[in-house]
Amino acid sequence: MSDSLKSPPQSERAFFNVLNKESIDYLRTRYNKTNRWVIADMLRRARYHFPDKSSLVFNDKILTYSELEDECNRVANALLDLGVEKYDRVAILAHNTLHHVLAWFGCTKAGAVYLAINYMLQGEEISYCVNHSESKVFIVEDSLYPLVKDVLDDMPTIKTLIWSDQGAGKSCPDDRFVDFDTWYTKYPSTEPDVVLHIEDPVQMTYTSGTESLPKGVIANNQALMAQFMGCIIDGGYESSDVSINALPLYHCAQRDVMMNPIFWVGGTNILCTPDLTEILKNISEYKATMFFAPPTVWIGLLRHPDFAQYDLSHLKKCYYGASIMPVEVLKEIMEKIPGSKIYNYYGQTELAPYHTILKAEDAMSKLGSAGMGGLNMETRLEDDEGNEILDTNIPGEICGKGPHAMMLYFKEPDKTEDVMRGGWFHSGDLGVLDQDRYIEVVDRKKDMVKTGGENVSTREVEEVIYQDKRVQEVAVIGVYHPKWVEAVTAVIVPKKGETITEKEIKDMAKEKLALFKVPKKVVFVDELPKTPTGKILKRDLRDMYKELCAQD
């Protein structure tokens, strides 16, 4: 009989006769393997239900749930043998690869905190994240090594460097690294003996934000498990689902709204590159039932010259998020993928990340809405004094409350306090309520244009411009104006082969908008600056065109 099953010694029996913090901590530890609820056990439970089912597809590798659980246990045991202790940070710089998934679940099983780094960052930006987080282990994919090769000596907390060859299949040119497969495959597939609790931090994500330095958001098992459950229920996930994971796994939307909940229910995750042709090819080849992307990616897919050549008949659930979807694009999805259900997730990294959802049954009747708070969340709007807004069509800051909320911004007590004030997380987004208490996201506070003393929602102007079928994409921003303080400015990408004039855009806007909302300037470009997840970088546009109206 193992020690954990032996009768408690006399000195510990008193814990069974009282209920206080000391006794509860004792019981939670003693029976941890029996009654805990943590991400580390998620794959094991999926294996119990679906041992031989395909869990993950990466290139020509297909792992069953039994195989994936075993491999993740090996990585966890390998991390522990490196000396990784509970809450130590393990950083990874990688695309959507098998090694990336193994590292994530290995961290959860070892009790470490997983940190996926945005591979669009440059060397010093990456070293900032590694150093600020005080990571001890750094896993680097071969194809991304050039980003960090010159700053590796500037990461004093890193004790172990691990080389992943799953990006380009290259051998490591740097003897400071150990090869990923060589490192972990020698370890046993048995579950590591680590006490884990639902309150334990498991994940760290650096927000891109608009500030000079990113903030490190720390989430625990509770936040993520509650969020996974909400996605499964609200988003209608099923064990029969096949999901294409094309957006970067370092981003919480792809990782935690799509991939992880699908593992929980026993579905199949396909890892894919963000190339539009590859996405269409994988949806068709694997008969994918669900796909998530931000509006810019959906626009790219719908306008792809070979769109009609791919069989998308199995695609029954279409999800979007990360930014506001133009109503005209929503209508196009419904037309080109008939019979599919459309869901809109809205949220922030700090909320693990989904906050509200517009479910499929409301997709047509509530076009443009972000829905209501998710299964485990509450939502409200606040004015600038922190008072709740109950009236319809009155803009206010979108605030959320529930188990999805982050633990903290690492090393940022004042910023943590500010966004958590009054018992609500403050998103920085503006929204309005409709008569059913559904929220429509109006704008980011910082994106609202103030021109001549009037507030202009950039989204409202964008929706009007999207009604011109010659427009591929548009971003509306405010730029400095000597008279109006800010000038409404539209930056437009025309569809290939189309020609649009500034006058045509302004004339159409004048027919549908108040004069102060009509763009004072219209700029035509070949593409808009975006994050890897497809968010349009309006701050970059504001910087690019800051002198546009200076001489007006």
Side-chain angles (χ1 to χ4, degrees):
M1 181 180 291
S2 68
D3 290 342
S4 62
L5 295 179
K6 289 180 180 178
S7 180
Q10 195 64 37
S11 61
E12 297 177 5
R13 288 179 175 271
F15 289 126
F16 292 79
N17 300 326
V18 294
L19 288 177
N20 55 34
K21 185 180 186 306
E22 189 177 8
S23 69
I24 290 170
D25 287 345
Y26 165 81
L27 293 168
R28 290 172 72 233
T29 300
R30 183 172 181 83
Y31 302 117
N32 184 253
K33 289 293 183 72
T34 306
N35 60 19
R36 70 189 187 188
W37 199 39
V38 292
I39 295 169
D41 298 339
M42 197 164 74
L43 290 178
R44 192 190 69 238
R45 294 202 176 99
R47 179 178 68 178
Y48 167 78
H49 291 285
F50 310 100
D52 301 319
K53 184 177 180 182
S54 296
S55 64
L56 184 67
V57 177
F58 170 63
N59 294 338
D60 59 349
K61 297 179 185 290
I62 302 175
L63 275 71
T64 66
Y65 272 98
S66 292
E67 292 168 335
L68 183 58
E69 166 71 0
D70 286 348
E71 296 304 288
C72 292
N73 282 336
R74 286 192 174 94
V75 172
N77 286 316
L79 287 169
L80 292 170
D81 196 46
L82 286 178
V84 171
E85 299 178 350
K86 281 195 75 173
Y87 312 150
D88 281 347
R89 273 71 72 200
V90 175
I92 182 168
L93 181 69
H95 291 100
N96 295 8
T97 65
L98 172 59
H99 284 168
H100 197 149
V101 176
L102 298 184
W104 154 237
F105 280 109
C107 286
T108 68
K109 289 171 173 287
V113 175
Y114 152 96
L115 166 60
I117 294 178
N118 181 340
Y119 53 68
M120 296 298 290
L121 300 178
Q122 297 301 309
E124 291 185 359
E125 296 169 311
I126 293 171
S127 64
Y128 171 82
C129 296
V130 170
N131 293 332
H132 183 265
S133 66
E134 301 176 32
S135 294
K136 286 190 175 180
V137 178
F138 191 18
I139 302 167
V140 179
E141 183 187 297
D142 52 5
S143 63
L144 299 172
Y145 172 69
L147 295 176
V148 296
K149 65 183 179 67
D150 294 332
V151 296
L152 290 174
D153 290 333
D154 302 327
M155 301 177 185
T157 64
I158 295 297
K159 306 303 180 188
T160 305
L161 290 166
I162 299 173
W163 180 267
S164 169
D165 66 356
Q166 292 188 338
K170 294 180 180 178
S171 299
C172 182
D174 191 326
D175 59 9
R176 290 174 291 182
F177 284 81
V178 59
D179 176 73
F180 193 103
D181 287 333
T182 303
W183 162 66
Y184 92 93
T185 51
K186 61 189 177 187
Y187 287 91
S189 62
T190 51
E191 188 174 83
D193 186 17
V194 181
V195 173
L196 304 170
H197 295 302
I198 195 167
E199 301 91 348
D200 288 341
V202 291
Q203 188 183 103
M204 189 171 188
T205 304
Y206 279 88
T207 59
S208 52
T210 58
E211 301 180 36
S212 57
L213 294 174
K215 300 185 291 293
V217 176
I218 294 184
N220 58 14
N221 277 299
Q222 171 182 281
L224 292 165
M225 294 288 279
Q227 198 266 170
F228 298 165
M229 178 193 290
C231 291
I232 292 165
I233 301 300
D234 287 338
Y237 300 2
E238 302 170 282
S239 60
S240 58
D241 276 324
V242 177
S243 179
I244 302 297
N245 295 267
L247 302 184
L249 288 183
Y250 73 68
H251 194 281
C252 52
Q254 187 67 69
R255 183 181 65 234
D256 297 323
V257 175
M258 303 307 295
M259 184 184 78
N260 282 319
I262 289 299
F263 280 136
W264 187 343
V265 298
T268 301
N269 276 302
I270 313 296
L271 300 183
C272 174
T273 72
D275 178 79
L276 295 177
T277 300
E278 284 298 306
I279 292 171
L280 290 169
K281 177 182 175 182
N282 277 271
I283 292 173
S284 178
E285 179 180 346
Y286 292 104
K287 299 179 179 179
T289 60
M290 59 196 303
F291 177 66
F292 168 86
T296 51
V297 173
W298 277 113
I299 291 169
L301 292 174
L302 294 167
R303 314 283 164 80
H304 192 283
D306 299 326
F307 180 86
Q309 296 180 21
Y310 292 94
D311 178 9
L312 308 185
S313 60
H314 292 85
L315 189 59
K316 300 303 181 185
K317 289 175 281 191
C318 301
Y319 303 84
Y320 68 95
S323 57
I324 297 166
M325 177 76 87
V327 172
E328 293 302 313
V329 178
L330 272 178
K331 292 177 180 177
E332 192 172 350
I333 293 175
M334 294 174 184
E335 291 170 5
K336 291 188 173 181
I337 312 177
S340 62
K341 297 180 178 180
I342 301 178
Y343 300 79
N344 175 19
Y345 282 114
Y346 160 77
Q348 295 81 28
T349 301
E350 293 88 341
L351 295 180
Y354 105 93
H355 178 181
T356 71
I357 184 170
L358 183 72
K359 298 181 183 180
E361 55 265 32
D362 296 317
M364 286 298 293
S365 60
K366 298 281 188 181
L367 283 170
S369 172
M372 295 187 70
L375 178 70
N376 295 309
M377 291 297 292
E378 301 168 58
T379 305
R380 78 174 191 176
L381 302 182
E382 288 186 4
D383 62 21
D384 290 340
E385 282 73 48
N387 302 308
E388 183 177 7
I389 296 173
L390 298 173
D391 294 333
T392 60
N393 298 315
I394 303 297
E397 184 171 10
I398 301 171
C399 302
K401 174 187 291 192
H404 295 196
M406 68 174 185
M407 297 180 73
L408 75 158
Y409 292 130
F410 191 50
K411 300 179 182 178
E412 297 279 8
D414 293 335
K415 291 178 180 177
T416 303
E417 280 288 309
D418 182 52
V419 298
M420 298 287 212
R421 65 188 182 274
W424 292 82
F425 171 77
H426 292 71
S427 70
D429 287 343
L430 294 176
V432 295
L433 292 171
D434 70 10
Q435 68 275 11
D436 299 315
R437 294 188 299 129
Y438 283 46
I439 285 179
E440 179 180 352
V441 181
V442 176
D443 230 326
R444 288 290 294 171
K445 271 189 169 181
K446 66 182 187 325
D447 287 341
M448 184 73 76
V449 179
K450 294 188 176 181
T451 181
E454 299 286 351
N455 288 334
V456 177
S457 164
T458 58
R459 182 190 180 184
E460 182 183 5
V461 182
E462 288 164 355
E463 291 282 6
V464 168
I465 294 173
Y466 267 118
Q467 292 177 29
D468 188 321
K469 299 301 183 182
R470 298 171 297 173
V471 173
Q472 173 88 3
E473 290 183 295
V474 59
V476 172
I477 58 173
V479 300
Y480 168 74
H481 193 283
K483 179 179 180 181
W484 303 109
V485 181
E486 283 189 310
V488 178
T489 302
V491 185
I492 295 173
V493 179
K495 288 182 182 177
K496 188 174 181 180
E498 296 287 358
T499 300
I500 317 172
T501 67
E502 181 173 18
K503 183 177 184 301
E504 288 175 325
I505 294 297
K506 289 183 175 180
D507 287 347
M508 181 181 69
K510 288 175 183 176
E511 293 177 4
K512 302 175 183 293
L513 296 169
L515 281 177
F516 69 86
K517 299 179 183 179
V518 173
K520 291 182 171 59
K521 296 286 185 178
V522 179
V523 179
F524 297 98
V525 297
D526 293 331
E527 62 180 0
L528 298 174
K530 298 170 190 168
T531 69
T533 54
K535 285 187 178 181
I536 295 170
L537 291 168
K538 289 191 174 182
R539 63 179 180 273
D540 288 6
L541 290 173
R542 284 192 289 267
D543 186 59
M544 291 165 60
Y545 297 108
K546 61 185 178 183
E547 302 295 332
L548 186 66
C549 300
Q551 304 304 316
D552 286 11

